[in-house]
Amino acid sequence: MLLCALIASLTYFYAYKGHREISSSSTDYVVTISGLEKEFTTDDRTATLKYQNTIVELSAKITSIDSESNGVVLGDKVFVTFKDSVLKSMTSGEKLTIKGRFLGYDELLGEFKIDQCSIMN
């Protein structure tokens, strides 16, 4: 009986790990839009394997703001969404440095996707 309880407890804690706190985690890659474009153009599969679900830091100018999704487009190529509501303090054309989880490249929209972002500057 004790063994069953121990196995059940271990299984529960393994299956229900806490979510990773992106803002306090270390950055895996500091990237640029042109660098991402080059890597994804050269070898999409390798670039996806390299960046998928990693924590990246990126700096670029805000080109549009989407208040419905709590996100912004940086450099016309990167769509980022924020963990907290921070859009009221942002303006188009402002340079922004963000840190977030890299989701991938959306070929249909031609955008890179990053979520759970926090502002670094």
Side-chain angles (χ1 to χ4, degrees), residues 67 70 82-90:
S67 56
N70 196 36
F82 294 92
K83 183 178 175 185
D84 301 316
S85 181
V86 294
L87 298 182
K88 292 179 183 176
S89 63
M90 295 181 187

Side-chain angles (χ1 to χ4, degrees), residues 15-68:
Y16 296 101
K17 295 177 187 174
H19 293 289
R20 178 169 62 164
E21 182 61 40
I22 303 295
S23 61
S24 62
S25 297
S26 61
T27 301
D28 296 313
Y29 299 101
V30 176
V31 297
T32 63
I33 294 172
S34 61
L36 286 172
E37 288 179 314
K38 182 178 179 181
E39 285 191 65
F40 276 83
T41 301
T42 303
D43 187 349
D44 182 81
R45 186 173 187 273
T46 301
T48 298
L49 290 172
K50 176 181 177 180
Y51 291 110
Q52 187 76 40
N53 206 31
T54 63
I55 300 172
V56 297
E57 187 175 313
L58 174 95
S59 295
K61 287 187 178 181
I62 298 172
T63 51
S64 66
I65 299 172
D66 183 355
S67 56
E68 284 186 32

